[in-house]
Amino acid sequence: MSLSDFDIAVCGGGVAGAASAALLAASGHRVALIDVRRPDWQMPADDFDARVVAISPGSARILTASGAWLKHPASRRAEYRQMQVLSGSGRITFDAQSHGLDQLGWITEVPALQQAQWLALAERGNVRILAPASVERLDRRRDRWRLGLDSGQHLDCALVVAADGARSRLRHLAGIKVDEWHYNQHALVTHLRCRRPNEGVAWQRFTEHGPLALLPLPDGRSSIVWSQPRERVQQLLALPTEDFINELNQHQDSPFGEVNQVGPRHAFKLVRRQARRLVGNGLVLLGDAARNVHPLAGQGLNLGLADAAALAEVLEDWQVEQDPQPRLERYLRWRQGSGSLIGGGIHLINELAHAPALLGPGLLGLGFGLAARLWPARELFVRRACGLDSDSPRLARAPDPDFR
Ligand SMILES: Cc1cc2nc3c(=O)[nH]c(=O)nc-3n(C[C@H](O)[C@H](O)[C@H](O)COP(=O)(O)OP(=O)(O)OC[C@H]3O[C@@H](n4cnc5c(N)ncnc54)[C@H](O)[C@@H]3O)c2cc1C
């Protein structure tokens, strides 16, 4: 049975896919959003989800245009105005104010952002949400796609957006290969309280085991991401709380003082992935379906949101009877270049940080020390990390009030 005819089907309603659906619908396209599950609507009132991310000012502008930022409660995000990065004796500090910015970004939970984006989507008359539903078949029929769902229903569309995450089924169905690098590292994540509250500093030290970040939460606690070899993370997960706190205090010298309380610990396996092509015939990959990067620079979702805004920009005045391919090729050149540059840079820093006998952290520290003295390099870095440089989509750089 045919569900209906759509201009665009977005598969995957994570933050990147749902933002993409909203931005494409804002240009007047009829959009179907398909997800295997609905977001978790129950946010803990007195705690924060373990899955927190750093959102850049450029991404916040994209989320404003997609309608999510207004629906996202301010009480569930903490802004950071300073970033401190340390390795060996080297150190670099970035202050929002000295770069003419109000903040360098926000720390917030992925589920809260997703929920806000779905609430905004539900208000759009030209978006149909199909969830829970899964795409079982992908057939090309002349210049359109037919998507067969697990319910036995199907839908037709001119363009498919695959935003179904790191192990994208759509990418597989479209026959797009992916390159993978296994780091043999896990990211250990927990929320903790230190002697002093974290009032807006994103702090990171490259420890002998891997990068340890303390990121501010709205209640003065910090959320940590500590990327380390898999075996060590397994040991840390099994440690009694007191021993784990001691281990943390041996490796962190943050401005917040000693850690005295930690929450539940979680681990995420780290794999770098890069799809060989971001575009097929009438099909495009975005977000984690396009690539995964190491979390040490907090760029994964920011890249996905930039993908969503870039796609909306290249398709802004596209009519469904026109061939979308030239526009998709533009998206391919733009986003493949950006993703490879950022992903490659992060990969290099991670490799260096894990070089033997502390040589890497020492070299990194030397690099930080040099970079700290080079103002143009710092300014360039901040613009890029904040998603505000000339390569960023128009929505990220200068919000257009008509683009709602
Ligand atoms: C420890 C850690 C720290 C991180 N920190 C940061 C950070 O500070 N800043 C940052 O920007 N990024 C960070 N990231 C990365 C970030 O979390 C991801 O890049 C981002 O959440 C991916 O969003 P997405 O929408 O592309 O994919 P996902 O969130 O994976 O969403 C995919 C969606 O597709 C759906 N789906 C799956 N399969 C199907 C299917 N077959 N059909 C239909 N739907 C399907 C899923 O249900 C889901 O809703 C971090 C990651 C980790 C692991």
Side-chain angles (χ1 to χ4, degrees), residues 12 14-16 35-37 53-54 114 163-165 287-288 295 298-302:
V15 182
D35 201 299
V36 284
R37 59 186 154 266
V53 284
Q114 188 189 15
D164 50 345
D288 275 18
Q299 285 297 322
L301 182 56
N302 289 304

Side-chain angles (χ1 to χ4, degrees), residues 92 94 98-99 370-384 389:
I92 187 161
F94 300 97
S98 51
H99 291 276
L370 280 175
R373 291 187 198 97
L374 285 172
W375 184 258
R378 294 164 60 110
E379 175 68 6
L380 210 67
F381 174 82
V382 166
R383 293 274 140 199
R384 167 66 62 152
D389 64 334

Side-chain angles (χ1 to χ4, degrees), residues 38-50:
R38 293 191 156 262
D40 186 1
W41 299 110
Q42 296 298 326
M43 300 300 297
D46 53 356
D47 202 0
F48 297 98
D49 194 279

Side-chain angles (χ1 to χ4, degrees), residues 264-275:
R265 287 160 255 173
H266 306 269
F268 298 89
K269 184 177 179 186
L270 300 181
V271 180
R272 180 182 176 204
R273 295 187 182 85
Q274 177 66 55

Side-chain angles (χ1 to χ4, degrees), residues 115-335:
Q115 196 184 89
Q117 190 61 78
W118 278 55
L119 286 173
L121 271 179
E123 291 178 0
R124 291 203 176 273
N126 53 343
V127 177
R128 171 127 184 229
I129 295 179
L130 300 163
S134 136
V135 178
E136 299 294 319
R137 292 181 57 86
L138 187 62
D139 297 312
R140 190 78 180 149
R141 302 186 163 211
R142 287 192 298 278
D143 54 352
R144 291 179 73 74
W145 284 106
R146 172 158 287 188
L147 276 60
L149 305 184
D150 54 345
S151 58
Q153 296 170 305
H154 63 258
L155 63 90
D156 294 323
C157 61
L159 178 63
V160 171
V161 178
D164 50 345
R167 278 179 283 199
S168 169
R169 182 176 169 87
L170 264 290
R171 185 179 65 207
H172 173 73
L173 288 175
I176 298 177
K177 298 239 177 324
V178 62
D179 292 318
E180 289 191 350
W181 293 262
H182 288 261
Y183 287 115
N184 188 32
Q185 282 173 31
H186 277 60
L188 191 155
V189 172
T190 186
H191 301 333
L192 51 81
R193 195 173 289 286
C194 296
R195 200 147 47 82
R196 286 182 289 280
N198 183 344
E199 289 172 336
V201 178
W203 180 92
Q204 180 156 256
R205 172 172 278 294
F206 285 84
T207 72
E208 63 192 279
H209 304 292
L212 166 64
L214 271 74
L215 309 166
L217 289 172
D219 60 1
R221 284 183 296 161
S222 295
S223 178
I224 70 155
V225 184
W226 197 1
S227 308
Q228 305 168 79
R230 187 176 61 86
E231 301 74 18
R232 202 181 124 81
V233 168
Q234 298 306 330
Q235 288 163 12
L236 291 179
L237 287 175
L239 279 184
T241 306
E242 278 311 304
D243 296 349
F244 178 60
I245 288 178
N246 286 340
E247 188 64 28
L248 271 170
N249 282 328
Q250 276 175 33
H251 290 92
Q252 71 96 17
D253 52 349
S254 75
F256 326 118
E258 277 181 13
V259 177
N260 49 33
Q261 206 184 71
V262 291
R265 287 160 255 173
H266 306 269
F268 298 89
K269 184 177 179 186
L270 300 181
V271 180
R272 180 182 176 204
R273 295 187 182 85
Q274 177 66 55
R276 297 231 177 122
R277 272 181 70 77
L278 298 192
V279 161
N281 198 2
L283 180 139
V284 56
L285 307 185
L286 67 76
D288 275 18
R291 99 283 298 154
N292 295 135
V293 297
H294 195 289
L296 74 86
Q299 285 297 322
L301 182 56
N302 289 304
L303 280 168
L305 288 168
D307 289 342
L311 185 64
E313 190 172 322
V314 302
L315 291 174
E316 200 173 1
D317 54 355
W318 170 64
Q319 304 293 318
V320 72
E321 20 334 297
Q322 294 171 342
D323 178 6
Q325 218 53 31
R327 292 161 193 268
L328 299 190
E329 293 297 328
R330 206 183 128 210
Y331 170 88
L332 165 72
R333 287 191 297 276
W334 185 0
R335 298 311 300 158

